mmCIF file of all heavy atoms in Angstrom:
data_model
loop_
_atom_site.group_PDB
_atom_site.id
_atom_site.type_symbol
_atom_site.label_atom_id
_atom_site.label_comp_id
_atom_site.label_asym_id
_atom_site.label_seq_id
_atom_site.Cartn_x
_atom_site.Cartn_y
_atom_site.Cartn_z
ATOM 1 N N SER A 32 81.470 103.416 118.815
ATOM 2 C CA SER A 32 82.342 102.400 118.578
ATOM 3 C C SER A 32 81.752 100.945 118.362
ATOM 4 O O SER A 32 82.336 100.138 117.704
ATOM 5 C CB SER A 32 83.338 102.189 119.724
ATOM 6 O OG SER A 32 82.791 102.017 120.870
ATOM 7 N N ILE A 33 80.561 100.684 118.950
ATOM 8 C CA ILE A 33 79.964 99.427 118.727
ATOM 9 C C ILE A 33 79.037 99.299 117.538
ATOM 10 O O ILE A 33 78.515 98.270 117.368
ATOM 11 C CB ILE A 33 79.269 99.024 120.034
ATOM 12 C CG1 ILE A 33 78.074 99.888 120.324
ATOM 13 C CG2 ILE A 33 80.176 99.101 121.248
ATOM 14 C CD1 ILE A 33 77.193 99.350 121.533
ATOM 15 N N ASN A 34 78.820 100.428 116.941
ATOM 16 C CA ASN A 34 77.732 100.444 115.897
ATOM 17 C C ASN A 34 78.311 100.196 114.528
ATOM 18 O O ASN A 34 79.314 100.823 114.104
ATOM 19 C CB ASN A 34 77.021 101.696 115.998
ATOM 20 C CG ASN A 34 75.841 101.788 116.951
ATOM 21 O OD1 ASN A 34 74.824 101.040 116.881
ATOM 22 N ND2 ASN A 34 76.073 102.427 118.124
ATOM 23 N N THR A 35 77.602 99.522 113.715
ATOM 24 C CA THR A 35 77.851 99.587 112.244
ATOM 25 C C THR A 35 77.418 100.968 111.699
ATOM 26 O O THR A 35 76.314 101.417 112.087
ATOM 27 C CB THR A 35 77.086 98.459 111.562
ATOM 28 O OG1 THR A 35 77.654 97.252 112.005
ATOM 29 C CG2 THR A 35 77.159 98.583 110.016
ATOM 30 N N MET A 36 78.274 101.439 110.920
ATOM 31 C CA MET A 36 77.942 102.779 110.200
ATOM 32 C C MET A 36 77.778 102.637 108.797
ATOM 33 O O MET A 36 78.445 101.768 108.195
ATOM 34 C CB MET A 36 79.095 103.972 110.595
ATOM 35 C CG MET A 36 79.151 104.149 112.057
ATOM 36 S SD MET A 36 77.657 104.895 112.829
ATOM 37 C CE MET A 36 77.413 106.368 111.864
ATOM 38 N N GLY A 37 77.002 103.558 108.147
ATOM 39 C CA GLY A 37 76.794 103.376 106.701
ATOM 40 C C GLY A 37 76.640 104.693 106.192
ATOM 41 O O GLY A 37 76.281 105.773 106.775
ATOM 42 N N TRP A 38 77.076 104.801 104.822
ATOM 43 C CA TRP A 38 76.815 105.923 103.928
ATOM 44 C C TRP A 38 75.706 105.637 103.049
ATOM 45 O O TRP A 38 75.733 104.352 102.373
ATOM 46 C CB TRP A 38 77.984 106.330 103.206
ATOM 47 C CG TRP A 38 79.021 107.096 103.982
ATOM 48 C CD1 TRP A 38 80.046 106.560 104.709
ATOM 49 C CD2 TRP A 38 78.942 108.556 104.307
ATOM 50 N NE1 TRP A 38 80.706 107.659 105.286
ATOM 51 C CE2 TRP A 38 79.984 108.821 105.094
ATOM 52 C CE3 TRP A 38 78.045 109.546 103.892
ATOM 53 C CZ2 TRP A 38 80.251 110.092 105.476
ATOM 54 C CZ3 TRP A 38 78.304 110.895 104.379
ATOM 55 C CH2 TRP A 38 79.445 111.111 105.206
ATOM 56 N N TYR A 39 74.690 106.493 102.826
ATOM 57 C CA TYR A 39 73.665 106.409 101.966
ATOM 58 C C TYR A 39 73.715 107.497 100.983
ATOM 59 O O TYR A 39 74.347 108.482 101.248
ATOM 60 C CB TYR A 39 72.307 106.549 102.659
ATOM 61 C CG TYR A 39 71.983 105.473 103.732
ATOM 62 C CD1 TYR A 39 72.570 105.467 104.910
ATOM 63 C CD2 TYR A 39 71.122 104.427 103.403
ATOM 64 C CE1 TYR A 39 72.446 104.455 105.853
ATOM 65 C CE2 TYR A 39 70.753 103.560 104.482
ATOM 66 C CZ TYR A 39 71.394 103.579 105.632
ATOM 67 O OH TYR A 39 71.137 102.568 106.537
ATOM 68 N N ARG A 40 72.941 107.416 99.895
ATOM 69 C CA ARG A 40 72.774 108.599 98.924
ATOM 70 C C ARG A 40 71.503 108.609 98.340
ATOM 71 O O ARG A 40 70.830 107.522 98.182
ATOM 72 C CB ARG A 40 73.847 108.584 97.796
ATOM 73 C CG ARG A 40 73.763 107.386 96.880
ATOM 74 C CD ARG A 40 74.887 107.401 95.887
ATOM 75 N NE ARG A 40 74.833 106.378 94.890
ATOM 76 C CZ ARG A 40 75.761 105.981 94.074
ATOM 77 N NH1 ARG A 40 76.885 106.774 94.114
ATOM 78 N NH2 ARG A 40 75.612 105.129 93.114
ATOM 79 N N GLN A 41 70.947 109.644 97.964
ATOM 80 C CA GLN A 41 69.626 109.858 97.339
ATOM 81 C C GLN A 41 69.759 110.812 96.213
ATOM 82 O O GLN A 41 70.086 112.025 96.463
ATOM 83 C CB GLN A 41 68.642 110.318 98.302
ATOM 84 C CG GLN A 41 67.267 110.340 97.892
ATOM 85 C CD GLN A 41 66.055 110.501 98.873
ATOM 86 O OE1 GLN A 41 66.396 111.016 100.003
ATOM 87 N NE2 GLN A 41 64.940 110.116 98.484
ATOM 88 N N ALA A 42 69.574 110.257 95.061
ATOM 89 C CA ALA A 42 69.690 111.105 93.777
ATOM 90 C C ALA A 42 68.179 111.772 93.622
ATOM 91 O O ALA A 42 67.252 111.099 94.079
ATOM 92 C CB ALA A 42 70.055 110.213 92.633
ATOM 93 N N PRO A 43 68.102 112.741 92.814
ATOM 94 C CA PRO A 43 66.798 113.333 92.539
ATOM 95 C C PRO A 43 65.789 112.284 91.907
ATOM 96 O O PRO A 43 66.255 111.642 90.953
ATOM 97 C CB PRO A 43 67.168 114.507 91.591
ATOM 98 C CG PRO A 43 68.513 114.884 91.783
ATOM 99 C CD PRO A 43 69.210 113.610 92.206
ATOM 100 N N GLY A 44 64.629 112.218 92.492
ATOM 101 C CA GLY A 44 63.669 111.326 91.972
ATOM 102 C C GLY A 44 63.890 109.867 92.219
ATOM 103 O O GLY A 44 63.162 109.046 91.726
ATOM 104 N N LYS A 45 64.961 109.529 93.115
ATOM 105 C CA LYS A 45 65.141 108.168 93.427
ATOM 106 C C LYS A 45 65.156 107.840 94.863
ATOM 107 O O LYS A 45 65.193 108.799 95.619
ATOM 108 C CB LYS A 45 66.596 107.725 92.807
ATOM 109 C CG LYS A 45 66.655 107.792 91.270
ATOM 110 C CD LYS A 45 68.051 107.196 90.865
ATOM 111 C CE LYS A 45 68.093 107.185 89.369
ATOM 112 N NZ LYS A 45 69.377 106.618 88.808
ATOM 113 N N GLN A 46 64.949 106.617 95.200
ATOM 114 C CA GLN A 46 64.976 106.285 96.586
ATOM 115 C C GLN A 46 66.297 106.284 97.190
ATOM 116 O O GLN A 46 67.301 106.211 96.488
ATOM 117 C CB GLN A 46 64.360 104.914 96.833
ATOM 118 C CG GLN A 46 62.903 104.780 96.558
ATOM 119 C CD GLN A 46 62.344 103.380 96.916
ATOM 120 O OE1 GLN A 46 63.129 102.481 97.027
ATOM 121 N NE2 GLN A 46 61.085 103.355 97.301
ATOM 122 N N ARG A 47 66.300 106.536 98.451
ATOM 123 C CA ARG A 47 67.686 106.562 99.133
ATOM 124 C C ARG A 47 68.145 105.094 99.135
ATOM 125 O O ARG A 47 67.552 104.173 99.297
ATOM 126 C CB ARG A 47 67.520 106.911 100.656
ATOM 127 C CG ARG A 47 68.751 107.182 101.413
ATOM 128 C CD ARG A 47 68.415 107.900 102.729
ATOM 129 N NE ARG A 47 67.812 109.100 102.606
ATOM 130 C CZ ARG A 47 67.218 109.891 103.525
ATOM 131 N NH1 ARG A 47 67.046 109.326 104.710
ATOM 132 N NH2 ARG A 47 66.804 111.112 103.275
ATOM 133 N N GLU A 48 69.711 104.975 98.829
ATOM 134 C CA GLU A 48 70.241 103.809 98.798
ATOM 135 C C GLU A 48 71.452 103.717 99.682
ATOM 136 O O GLU A 48 72.046 104.703 99.808
ATOM 137 C CB GLU A 48 70.557 103.355 97.312
ATOM 138 C CG GLU A 48 71.658 104.315 96.681
ATOM 139 C CD GLU A 48 72.217 103.875 95.341
ATOM 140 O OE1 GLU A 48 72.162 102.655 95.158
ATOM 141 O OE2 GLU A 48 72.697 104.710 94.630
ATOM 142 N N LEU A 49 71.729 102.471 100.198
ATOM 143 C CA LEU A 49 72.905 102.274 101.011
ATOM 144 C C LEU A 49 74.049 102.000 100.172
ATOM 145 O O LEU A 49 73.951 101.072 99.276
ATOM 146 C CB LEU A 49 72.678 101.220 102.023
ATOM 147 C CG LEU A 49 73.823 100.718 102.959
ATOM 148 C CD1 LEU A 49 74.006 101.910 103.827
ATOM 149 C CD2 LEU A 49 73.258 99.547 103.852
ATOM 150 N N VAL A 50 75.134 102.643 100.293
ATOM 151 C CA VAL A 50 76.182 102.470 99.233
ATOM 152 C C VAL A 50 77.452 101.825 100.022
ATOM 153 O O VAL A 50 78.230 101.295 99.374
ATOM 154 C CB VAL A 50 76.717 103.836 98.546
ATOM 155 C CG1 VAL A 50 75.604 104.336 97.725
ATOM 156 C CG2 VAL A 50 77.084 104.881 99.654
ATOM 157 N N ALA A 51 77.634 102.006 101.317
ATOM 158 C CA ALA A 51 78.775 101.452 102.063
ATOM 159 C C ALA A 51 78.500 101.353 103.492
ATOM 160 O O ALA A 51 77.811 102.242 104.096
ATOM 161 C CB ALA A 51 80.043 102.463 101.847
ATOM 162 N N THR A 52 79.089 100.324 104.090
ATOM 163 C CA THR A 52 78.844 99.968 105.437
ATOM 164 C C THR A 52 80.224 99.620 106.055
ATOM 165 O O THR A 52 81.024 99.007 105.357
ATOM 166 C CB THR A 52 77.871 98.947 105.849
ATOM 167 O OG1 THR A 52 78.323 97.694 105.212
ATOM 168 C CG2 THR A 52 76.435 99.328 105.309
ATOM 169 N N ILE A 53 80.418 99.886 107.460
ATOM 170 C CA ILE A 53 81.628 99.408 108.021
ATOM 171 C C ILE A 53 81.150 99.125 109.459
ATOM 172 O O ILE A 53 80.497 99.821 110.191
ATOM 173 C CB ILE A 53 82.742 100.486 108.155
ATOM 174 C CG1 ILE A 53 84.005 100.114 108.805
ATOM 175 C CG2 ILE A 53 82.296 101.939 108.776
ATOM 176 C CD1 ILE A 53 85.168 100.952 108.525
ATOM 177 N N THR A 54 81.544 97.946 109.751
ATOM 178 C CA THR A 54 81.140 97.423 111.148
ATOM 179 C C THR A 54 82.075 97.789 112.310
ATOM 180 O O THR A 54 83.127 98.438 111.991
ATOM 181 C CB THR A 54 81.038 95.922 111.075
ATOM 182 O OG1 THR A 54 82.477 95.387 111.100
ATOM 183 C CG2 THR A 54 80.258 95.375 110.045
ATOM 184 N N ALA A 55 81.807 97.506 113.463
ATOM 185 C CA ALA A 55 82.797 97.815 114.614
ATOM 186 C C ALA A 55 83.946 97.048 114.452
ATOM 187 O O ALA A 55 85.098 97.591 114.835
ATOM 188 C CB ALA A 55 81.995 97.474 115.950
ATOM 189 N N GLY A 56 83.966 95.983 113.822
ATOM 190 C CA GLY A 56 85.178 95.172 113.633
ATOM 191 C C GLY A 56 85.978 95.537 112.273
ATOM 192 O O GLY A 56 86.831 94.746 111.852
ATOM 193 N N LEU A 57 85.445 96.504 111.623
ATOM 194 C CA LEU A 57 86.031 97.135 110.332
ATOM 195 C C LEU A 57 85.705 96.352 109.137
ATOM 196 O O LEU A 57 86.571 96.343 108.167
ATOM 197 C CB LEU A 57 87.540 97.386 110.575
ATOM 198 C CG LEU A 57 87.962 98.266 111.862
ATOM 199 C CD1 LEU A 57 89.500 98.475 111.761
ATOM 200 C CD2 LEU A 57 87.157 99.621 111.672
ATOM 201 N N SER A 58 84.721 95.421 109.119
ATOM 202 C CA SER A 58 84.388 94.881 107.968
ATOM 203 C C SER A 58 83.629 95.716 107.112
ATOM 204 O O SER A 58 82.668 96.505 107.613
ATOM 205 C CB SER A 58 83.528 93.535 108.281
ATOM 206 O OG SER A 58 84.166 92.519 108.975
ATOM 207 N N ARG A 59 83.922 95.808 105.796
ATOM 208 C CA ARG A 59 83.380 96.815 104.827
ATOM 209 C C ARG A 59 82.461 96.043 103.813
ATOM 210 O O ARG A 59 82.876 95.018 103.323
ATOM 211 C CB ARG A 59 84.361 97.623 104.267
ATOM 212 C CG ARG A 59 85.319 98.352 105.216
ATOM 213 C CD ARG A 59 86.418 98.985 104.557
ATOM 214 N NE ARG A 59 87.236 99.980 105.319
ATOM 215 C CZ ARG A 59 88.115 99.667 106.304
ATOM 216 N NH1 ARG A 59 88.487 98.338 106.529
ATOM 217 N NH2 ARG A 59 88.681 100.608 106.916
ATOM 218 N N ASN A 60 81.508 96.721 103.435
ATOM 219 C CA ASN A 60 80.705 96.146 102.332
ATOM 220 C C ASN A 60 80.267 97.402 101.431
ATOM 221 O O ASN A 60 80.095 98.551 102.001
ATOM 222 C CB ASN A 60 79.406 95.475 102.710
ATOM 223 C CG ASN A 60 79.712 94.049 103.126
ATOM 224 O OD1 ASN A 60 80.032 93.181 102.239
ATOM 225 N ND2 ASN A 60 79.745 93.701 104.383
ATOM 226 N N TYR A 61 80.242 97.127 100.127
ATOM 227 C CA TYR A 61 79.846 98.318 99.202
ATOM 228 C C TYR A 61 78.771 97.828 98.167
ATOM 229 O O TYR A 61 78.733 96.593 97.755
ATOM 230 C CB TYR A 61 81.159 98.653 98.454
ATOM 231 C CG TYR A 61 82.200 99.150 99.218
ATOM 232 C CD1 TYR A 61 83.223 98.267 99.766
ATOM 233 C CD2 TYR A 61 82.380 100.523 99.678
ATOM 234 C CE1 TYR A 61 84.330 98.703 100.526
ATOM 235 C CE2 TYR A 61 83.345 100.902 100.467
ATOM 236 C CZ TYR A 61 84.345 100.028 100.932
ATOM 237 O OH TYR A 61 85.381 100.517 101.666
ATOM 238 N N ALA A 62 78.016 98.772 97.758
ATOM 239 C CA ALA A 62 77.191 98.501 96.686
ATOM 240 C C ALA A 62 77.962 98.319 95.492
ATOM 241 O O ALA A 62 78.969 98.857 95.240
ATOM 242 C CB ALA A 62 76.230 99.681 96.455
ATOM 243 N N ASP A 63 77.405 97.436 94.533
ATOM 244 C CA ASP A 63 78.169 97.182 93.308
ATOM 245 C C ASP A 63 78.495 98.574 92.561
ATOM 246 O O ASP A 63 79.541 98.577 91.887
ATOM 247 C CB ASP A 63 77.315 96.251 92.520
ATOM 248 C CG ASP A 63 77.286 94.803 92.949
ATOM 249 O OD1 ASP A 63 78.086 94.487 93.879
ATOM 250 O OD2 ASP A 63 76.447 93.955 92.563
ATOM 251 N N SER A 64 77.620 99.430 92.596
ATOM 252 C CA SER A 64 77.916 100.592 91.769
ATOM 253 C C SER A 64 78.958 101.466 92.168
ATOM 254 O O SER A 64 79.538 102.237 91.461
ATOM 255 C CB SER A 64 76.559 101.461 91.902
ATOM 256 O OG SER A 64 76.330 101.797 93.172
#
């Protein structure tokens, strides 16, 4: 409950990227893509 959680993705041949995060306070951020 106190941790920011995030979703990442890794496409073939590419580095892993962070695509979305949500904080404990429910603030959300997204990659532009």
Side-chain angles (χ1 to χ4, degrees):
S32 61
I33 66 172
N34 279 288
T35 294
M36 298 298 297
W38 280 97
Y39 298 74
R40 67 185 181 188
Q41 186 167 22
K45 295 188 177 181
Q46 288 190 333
R47 190 172 291 165
E48 63 170 337
L49 180 62
V50 297
T52 62
I53 183 167
T54 68
L57 302 183
S58 294
R59 297 170 172 84
N60 279 288
Y61 300 94
D63 288 343
S64 58

